[in-house]
Amino acid sequence: MDKEIKNKAKNARRGAKGSLTRAMNVTNELIEASRSKSEVKQAFEELRRAHEGLVMKREEFTMLLDDEEFEEAEKWMQVCASEYVAFTMRYHDYIKKIDEDKSKQNVSDSVVGESSEENNEESNDSQRSNNLIEQSTVPNENNHPSTMQNPEMIQHSPSSAKPFTVKHEKAKLPVFTGDVRQYFIFKSDFKHAVEAQYSERDTLTVLRSCLSSEPAKLIEGISSDLNAAWKYLDQNYGDPRIVSDTITLDLERFRSIQPGEDHRFCQLVNLVRRSYNILKEIKRPQDMDNTHVISLIERKMSEDDLR
């Protein structure tokens, strides 16, 4: 009976994956055909709903699995999540390109309008100049007309230079491997780069793809509550005291510098600077700026370095 229920849930998950694939293909065809923004957005909305359906079916299926089967199901879902995230980024790039093209077109239309007005003004100025020239024509000694032109009447059409643009490589998503020293920076970068662009559920999907296996296990079973996911991660990696203790341990483990090891002095300097920056990020710079840590750093230096 349990096997039958499990197979039924697995088939439901497979059907949800098929719906997601079809929705992704439809949206991709619209993008390839350079269809309108409204059409592509409507298709992507269907794609987003299909992804939500897959996540729900995946949750129902994994509740029936043992640990080994769960790991296999997670790998399968990770592949699906990566495909969805990659396509979502492509969709946002396409929408952004449409908006940029529209903005450029508006600027171009504005420039054309201004150019037309300038041409009209130049035409009027030219007509006035011709009238003045005719009025200023006087006979010379040979009774031939001589034209006197005022330099101020000469018109110079302004030249407009095209703006210089530089294309740069897209920033990669941050990845967290479980190092408590990097957690606060990872969280800050992720919120800045991802949360402002995606819905809460999509953001959670992206978050899973940015975690290595160990941190990812902490948020297993959380399908839509992004705050709960951050809470679990904060509890395990976001305690400033643990970060401070880890940094102090790094300094204690650093082997004392021997005479002639100038390169290791540079390594110590970099370690101290990096450690201080991390503590400053978590609002605990005082954990390094004290006599205990300063004495510890001095003990790692050679006599030549202390002179």
Side-chain angles (χ1 to χ4, degrees), residues 127-139 146-149 153:
Q127 183 63 37
R128 287 194 294 268
S129 297
N130 290 335
N131 294 337
L132 290 173
I133 291 172
E134 291 177 359
Q135 294 174 7
S136 62
T137 302
V138 296
S146 174
T147 303
M148 300 175 61
Q149 295 185 0
M153 297 177 184

Side-chain angles (χ1 to χ4, degrees), residues 4 17 33 48 53 59 105 107 118 128 130 188 229-230 263 289:
E4 182 180 348
K17 175 60 168 64
R48 189 184 64 80
E59 294 294 333
Q105 183 62 40
V107 172
E118 290 177 358
R128 287 194 294 268
N130 290 335
S188 176
W230 281 123
H263 66 286
D289 189 12

Side-chain angles (χ1 to χ4, degrees), residues 40 99 102 128 137 145 160 190 233 243 249 251 256 264 266:
V40 176
D99 292 338
K102 184 177 180 180
R128 287 194 294 268
T137 302
S160 57
F190 184 90
L233 292 172
V243 178
L249 186 60
L251 293 171
S256 298
R264 297 199 66 246
C266 295

Side-chain angles (χ1 to χ4, degrees), residues 244-255:
S244 179
D245 292 343
T246 303
I247 287 176
T248 303
L249 186 60
D250 289 340
L251 293 171
E252 291 177 350
R253 288 175 175 173
F254 189 87
R255 182 172 59 83

Side-chain angles (χ1 to χ4, degrees), residues 164-176:
F164 178 73
T165 58
V166 178
K167 292 184 178 180
H168 56 84
E169 184 180 358
K170 295 180 181 177
K172 296 181 180 179
L173 290 174
V175 177
F176 180 61

Side-chain angles (χ1 to χ4, degrees), residues 23 95 144 174 261 289:
I95 297 299
H144 292 293
E261 294 182 332
D289 189 12

Side-chain angles (χ1 to χ4, degrees), residues 6 26 28 75 87 91 95 138 159 228 261 272 300:
K6 188 183 297 184
V26 170
N28 184 62
K75 292 179 182 178
F87 192 84
Y91 161 76
I95 297 299
V138 296
S159 60
E261 294 182 332
V272 171
K300 301 298 179 179

Side-chain angles (χ1 to χ4, degrees), residues 31 40 44 84-99 170 194 196-199 202:
I31 292 177
V40 176
F44 183 78
Y84 177 72
V85 169
F87 192 84
T88 299
M89 295 175 68
R90 186 185 180 203
Y91 161 76
H92 284 292
D93 289 342
Y94 180 76
I95 297 299
K96 183 179 180 181
K97 182 177 182 299
I98 290 179
D99 292 338
K170 295 180 181 177
V194 179
Q197 302 184 42
Y198 300 95
S199 66
D202 289 344

